[in-house]
Amino acid sequence: MLRVEDLSVAFRQHDGRLTRPLAGVSLTVASGDCAGLIGGSGAGKSLIAEALTGTLPRNAELSGRIGVSGRIALAPQAVTALDPLARAGTQIARMARLAGRRADPAALMARLGLPEAALRAYPHELSGGMAKRVLIATALATGAGTLIADEPTLGLDPGAADRIMALLAGLAAEGTGVLIISHDLPRLVATTTRVTVLREGRPVETVPAAAFPEGLTHPFTRALWDAQTWTATEWAEAC
Amino acid sequence: MTGWLGRLLVERLIRLAWLLPLAMAGLFTLVSLAPVDPITAYVGARVADVGPDQRAAIAQAWGLDAPAPERFALWLGHIARGDLGSSITFNAPVAEVLADRAGASLTLIALAFVISFAVGLGLGLTAAATRGRWPDRAIRGFAVVLTASPGFWVALLLIALFAVGLGWLPSCCAAPPGLTADEADLAARLNHLILPAATLSVVGTGPLILHSRARAAAFLESPAARHLAAHGARPGWLVWRPGLRHALGPALAVHLAGTGELIGGSVLAETVFAWPGLGQATVRAALGADAPLLLGIALATLVVVFLGNLAADIAARLLDPRLRQA
């Protein structure tokens, strides 16, 4: 269970002025729930992930309330978050040890649809989709009740992106609270129960996934949806 | 999995196949052009007793009157049969001099190698762990001072401090006066080894500190380290476990590739401390115009440096799986 109320992040700049790239964000992710978070580039999506996992830069000032029951884990956006010099299985076991648990990397890999051989692979030997799965596996190895997936489909081909989203939905169905941060609105809507929309660090609205696209009332959310679905269909026709 | 090793070895054998003849021709040319006269060096103090006729006789007996290409071919032929010639200064076959003295030099070089690797890696990681703060600045300053210090000067400082001032350690030789290295016990031999090894280790330590620091710092600022830190990894653990792992490969590769500098440094260290190794023999061979011994030492050095570089390449690939694919 994760409950965020009125979350705000500010940075003190060199000249003493305060910038506030994130303000007034509230969201809830219950166990077994799959929620989405969307916004354009620079909307503060990754800042939320950093705030929730306590990895904000040192000069950041955090305010608001974050209520967590159980552990919270982050599957970061870039696959460079995997240690290039350690085998996938080693990294999963290491993450579990840091959380004071014993993980069964083989079982975790099977649960994420990864072949057993991937345990002994180094990150550079994995495909993009497999590396994303290993990242999710490292986060799950901590035994976290809440998983934040930051841009899990970034850089993947459509097939791999669909499989990752299905995997995250499956994790939620098994009881994990899942928060997916993404700019891929159609897939987000297809996977989550509701989507929180951010614009330049301020919350626009939280919309049930069922409301897309007919039930949309806010022009920003509608514009976001139109932009992405138009791109998808137009590209499909053009190719 | 071991395909990369076979490829590397074949590639390096091919390199050795053209490098060795080239180096031999170069060495032979240098020694031939050197402004020393082996006959004068051989005759030594009896120079007044030896007339031009006798000099010509010696030159003929040694084959020095033959043209250079012929002498080179003769030398190659002897080496092919495993005959490196005889040393004038030591009055013994070159192979025997090399075998006698290689042990002392390798002990010294190996100990210096281990000392500078441990100190360099340890200080480098400590600097990375405290980067931007005073221990980091102090260690980096120390590394620059070490790099800028000439080996003979460090040797003199160490002798002044530990041998003359404090009287803790002997200032010379491999064994107490009056004993050979074989007669001295292990403690005495180790005691004599400390100062030369410390002097020699200065050569490689500075670059190693800076290199290890850079590699560990790059890891500590990487997304991989942030991912671990976000899930409970402590800074100290990050430095000394995965950080050490990341610094180890490049540090070992750089250190092994510096074998040549270590051997060069050993010439100085052995001379200052009268250490009975190949470095000292090199100086005596050069002063005595002992061409066969000089060539023999140069060839042995070439092989050791080549092996050091090969070991550096293997270590780098063993410790970083990404390098095995290229």
Side-chain angles (χ1 to χ4, degrees):
Chain A
M1 176 78 184
L2 167 70
R3 184 190 297 276
V4 177
E5 279 171 47
D6 198 22
L7 182 72
S8 172
V9 175
F11 288 96
R12 179 75 64 186
Q13 291 186 310
H14 291 298
D15 56 10
R17 282 188 303 135
L18 207 63
T19 56
R20 197 173 290 279
L22 197 69
V25 177
S26 299
L27 53 86
T28 309
V29 184
S31 304
D33 189 11
C34 191
L37 183 66
I38 193 166
S41 294
K45 303 191 296 282
S46 291
L47 216 48
I48 292 185
E50 289 179 8
L52 294 181
T53 50
T55 50
L56 281 171
R58 229 174 266 168
N59 61 333
E61 294 170 17
L62 182 73
S63 59
R65 281 176 300 280
I66 302 174
V68 194
S69 62
R71 204 182 288 272
I72 188 165
L74 169 70
Q77 175 175 338
V79 293
T80 50
L82 291 173
D83 183 344
L85 298 186
R87 296 179 196 277
T90 310
Q91 302 200 40
I92 294 170
R94 183 157 78 184
M95 211 60 141
R97 226 172 22 250
L98 286 176
R101 309 172 71 241
R102 286 186 62 82
D104 181 355
L108 205 50
M109 300 286 261
R111 188 173 156 207
L112 296 187
L114 283 161
E116 177 106 26
L119 273 178
R120 294 189 48 76
Y122 289 96
H124 72 278
E125 297 168 330
L126 297 168
S127 71
M130 284 167 85
K132 289 277 192 188
R133 279 164 200 260
V134 172
L135 262 184
I136 294 173
T138 58
L140 287 179
T142 61
T146 308
L147 173 71
I148 304 173
D150 191 1
E151 297 286 6
T153 60
L154 194 73
L156 297 186
D157 63 75
D162 286 337
R163 287 194 292 277
I164 285 280
M165 283 303 212
L167 169 71
L168 291 170
L171 291 175
E174 289 169 25
T176 307
V178 179
L179 174 64
I180 305 176
I181 301 173
S182 177
H183 66 273
D184 185 349
L185 190 53
R187 282 200 179 81
L188 207 52
V189 166
T191 312
T192 58
T193 54
R194 65 193 177 287
V195 176
T196 301
V197 183
L198 283 187
R199 180 189 198 175
E200 286 168 11
R202 307 293 183 270
V204 173
E205 59 174 344
T206 296
V207 200
F212 285 87
E214 276 78 22
L216 293 180
T217 50
H218 198 289
F220 182 75
T221 312
R222 171 162 288 281
L224 214 54
W225 173 264
D226 286 346
Q228 293 207 11
T229 49
W230 176 85
T231 316
T233 50
E234 291 298 301
W235 271 114
E237 280 163 20
C239 292
Chain B
M1 284 300 275
T2 50
W4 61 270
L5 187 57
R7 273 203 312 278
L8 184 72
L9 289 177
V10 168
E11 187 190 303
R12 289 307 136 92
L13 275 178
I14 293 171
R15 181 180 296 181
L16 189 63
W18 60 259
L19 183 68
L20 206 52
L22 203 66
M24 286 171 130
L27 284 171
F28 189 84
T29 311
L30 278 177
V31 169
S32 302
L33 294 178
V36 289
D37 181 5
I39 298 172
T40 308
Y42 174 65
V43 170
R46 291 163 295 164
V47 67
D49 305 336
V50 180
D53 293 349
Q54 280 172 300
R55 298 182 74 99
I58 296 174
Q60 197 184 8
W62 284 357
L64 289 175
D65 52 348
E70 200 176 301
R71 281 182 283 141
F72 184 54
L74 198 66
W75 181 56
L76 284 187
H78 281 285
I79 286 179
R81 275 182 273 126
D83 178 13
L84 291 168
S86 290
S87 161
I88 307 169
T89 37
F90 290 91
N91 204 11
V94 168
E96 202 176 285
V97 177
L98 289 182
D100 279 353
R101 299 194 150 239
S105 280
L106 285 180
T107 308
L108 184 60
I109 288 174
L111 188 64
F113 184 91
V114 171
I115 292 175
S116 55
F117 190 67
V119 171
L121 197 59
L123 286 181
L125 285 180
T126 308
T130 58
R131 59 194 183 287
R133 303 205 303 274
W134 69 263
D136 175 32
R137 286 202 289 276
I139 290 171
R140 273 188 291 157
F142 178 62
V144 171
V145 169
L146 272 191
T147 310
S149 306
F152 69 89
W153 180 74
V154 174
L156 295 178
L157 273 189
L158 289 177
I159 289 177
L161 182 61
F162 290 103
V164 180
L166 297 168
W168 290 351
L169 293 165
S171 65
C172 136
C173 320
L179 294 177
T180 66
D182 294 331
E183 289 163 352
D185 59 3
L186 188 65
R189 274 189 283 170
L190 282 179
N191 212 19
H192 282 77
L193 189 54
I194 295 173
L195 282 187
T199 303
L200 189 50
S201 68
V202 163
V203 177
T205 306
L208 202 59
I209 291 176
L210 298 177
H211 218 82
S212 314
R213 179 193 177 277
R215 286 309 181 116
F219 167 74
L220 293 174
E221 280 153 25
S222 75
R226 276 207 302 279
H227 186 43
L228 288 164
H231 296 91
R234 291 174 195 289
W237 182 87
L238 277 175
V239 172
W240 293 104
R241 298 293 292 279
L244 172 66
R245 176 73 186 74
H246 276 250
L248 198 57
L252 194 55
V254 161
H255 204 41
L256 282 168
T259 310
E261 286 165 51
L262 215 50
I263 292 178
S266 78
V267 174
L268 272 175
E270 289 187 12
T271 305
V272 175
F273 290 99
W275 186 261
L278 284 175
Q280 198 192 44
T282 311
V283 174
R284 285 177 63 180
L287 294 176
D290 190 346
L293 184 57
L294 267 184
L295 289 170
I297 291 174
L299 283 182
T301 305
L302 179 92
V303 172
V304 172
V305 171
F306 178 83
L307 289 177
N309 282 323
L310 180 64
D313 285 329
I314 293 176
R317 283 164 178 75
L318 274 181
L319 290 168
D320 189 341
R322 290 169 295 181
L323 296 176
R324 291 175 207 163
Q325 290 184 324

